[in-house]
Amino acid sequence: MDGFINLNKPKNFTSHDAVNLVRKIFQTKKVGHGGTLDPAAEGVLPVAVGRATKFLEYISDCDKTYRAEIFFGLETDSGDLDGEVIFQTENFSMPTLNKLQAAAKNFVGEIEQTPPKYSAIKISGRKAYDLARKNVDFEIPARLVKINSFKILQVEKNFVTVEVDCAKGTYIRSLAVDFGKFFKIPATLKSLQRTRVGKFFLEDSAGIEELKISPQKFLQPIESCLEFEKFNLPSHRVKAFLSGLSTTVKLSDKIVKVYDGEKFLGVGKILDGELKSEKLACI
């Protein structure tokens, strides 16, 4: 009963709804998800069951890939079509494919981004979307995010389909708004699908009905879902690792998956030539 599920979250289904569903299917309270996906969005949502919940932080920290539609000529207070319309216009010329591709290059790398007010960002201990719904005036500070790639897939009359690969903490809604601002055209997110989270890919995901029918089929071993390299620990140091004691190794600083032969022990951290356990799979 320990492992990860690559769930294909449908639209109008919250990440919390997904956790509750898996709790009922596996009849356990020990369930969590790796990386919140907005209710209006769909796609990959890693869900941890049992001891896998301890390793969720490593999944949440992984890079992610999205397929999104950006609608030009419309501005909303939330950055997507679920929000209230602030401004709408048809008085603009849709940028050409070449111009869109050239502009996308400006958003690759480390960029400054302001998260949307309708988000789970904490402001003085309170979630931003709670404050926004109560019409409280507040500002969210800009922060650096990393975009690995930004590809233009298709251009229609007034919207463009893009693929974005990015690091943790990137808001695609904000990216959509900022992309429109680059052309001095109001823009908002029309649709969003997450196609990858680390080693979880959309083509391998399970739909809700599939999961209900064959839950064990989609439960993946903890270690297979972690992106770290494998490290085989000498048998005489296994007890020390499980006890939290360090082992001297000749490797550079990194996070590794630690094994005793074929048995996964947990995640360890190598720092200054010393390996020490961070998360144990057996406890």
Side-chain angles (χ1 to χ4, degrees), residues 202-242:
L202 183 63
E203 55 264 33
D204 303 319
S205 63
I208 287 176
E209 295 307 315
E210 290 178 293
L211 186 63
K212 287 179 179 178
I213 295 169
S214 306
Q216 291 295 335
K217 175 184 175 182
F218 296 103
L219 191 63
Q220 303 177 45
I222 297 170
E223 62 270 28
S224 69
C225 301
L226 303 177
E227 292 190 303
F228 312 124
E229 67 179 69
K230 182 177 179 179
F231 176 80
N232 280 305
L233 189 68
S235 296
H236 70 279
R237 296 302 302 169
V238 170
K239 187 175 180 180
F241 180 80
L242 297 178

Side-chain angles (χ1 to χ4, degrees), residues 24-271:
K24 290 178 182 177
I25 292 174
F26 286 88
Q27 297 183 347
T28 178
K29 292 183 178 180
K30 208 168 183 181
V31 177
H33 65 79
T36 301
L37 200 54
D38 288 343
E42 60 184 328
V44 174
L45 180 69
V47 180
V49 180
R51 291 173 182 168
T53 54
K54 295 196 299 181
F55 297 85
L56 273 172
E57 64 179 277
Y58 304 119
I59 303 300
S60 299
D61 287 345
C62 290
D63 287 356
K64 302 167 180 66
T65 307
Y66 297 88
R67 184 185 177 97
E69 291 179 320
I70 302 175
F71 190 89
F72 284 80
L74 184 69
E75 181 183 355
T76 69
D77 59 359
S78 64
D80 60 18
L81 294 183
D82 283 347
E84 294 291 329
V85 176
I86 297 173
F87 181 72
Q88 187 169 5
T89 180
E90 294 182 359
N91 186 27
F92 69 92
S93 297
M94 190 67 183
T96 64
L97 174 59
N98 286 341
K99 288 183 178 181
L100 289 165
Q101 290 174 330
K105 294 177 182 179
N106 292 279
F107 293 86
V108 175
E110 281 198 341
I111 65 169
E112 196 172 75
Q113 183 183 76
T114 302
K117 287 193 172 183
Y118 283 87
S119 66
I121 295 289
K122 292 286 185 71
I123 304 295
S124 300
R126 300 176 65 184
K127 291 181 179 179
Y129 59 71
D130 287 333
L131 297 174
R133 286 169 184 159
K134 293 178 181 179
N135 295 317
V136 176
D137 188 32
F138 64 96
E139 294 295 328
I140 299 180
R143 60 184 183 179
L144 285 177
V145 298
K146 186 180 179 183
I147 308 293
N148 301 317
S149 67
F150 187 1
K151 300 176 183 177
I152 308 299
L153 301 182
Q154 188 176 358
V155 184
E156 299 292 337
K157 181 181 178 181
N158 57 355
F159 72 90
V160 57
T161 304
V162 303
E163 181 184 80
V164 180
D165 187 274
C166 56
K168 174 186 176 181
T170 303
Y171 280 89
I172 307 300
R173 281 182 288 155
S174 294
L175 185 62
V177 172
D178 291 342
F179 197 52
K181 286 180 179 177
F182 184 89
F183 295 100
K184 295 181 172 58
I185 303 172
T188 194
L189 189 67
K190 183 174 183 285
S191 69
L192 182 65
Q193 181 183 52
R194 189 156 65 189
T195 59
R196 181 185 72 92
V197 176
K199 297 178 74 172
F200 298 86
F201 291 84
L202 183 63
E203 55 264 33
D204 303 319
S205 63
I208 287 176
E209 295 307 315
E210 290 178 293
L211 186 63
K212 287 179 179 178
I213 295 169
S214 306
Q216 291 295 335
K217 175 184 175 182
F218 296 103
L219 191 63
Q220 303 177 45
I222 297 170
E223 62 270 28
S224 69
C225 301
L226 303 177
E227 292 190 303
F228 312 124
E229 67 179 69
K230 182 177 179 179
F231 176 80
N232 280 305
L233 189 68
S235 296
H236 70 279
R237 296 302 302 169
V238 170
K239 187 175 180 180
F241 180 80
L242 297 178
S243 300
L245 301 176
S246 61
T247 297
T248 301
V249 296
K250 295 180 179 180
L251 291 172
S252 57
D253 295 354
K254 65 180 77 175
I255 302 291
V256 292
K257 294 186 290 187
V258 181
Y259 287 77
D260 175 18
E262 294 302 315
K263 183 181 179 181
F264 174 61
L265 300 177
V267 169
K269 184 176 183 179
I270 299 173
L271 182 64

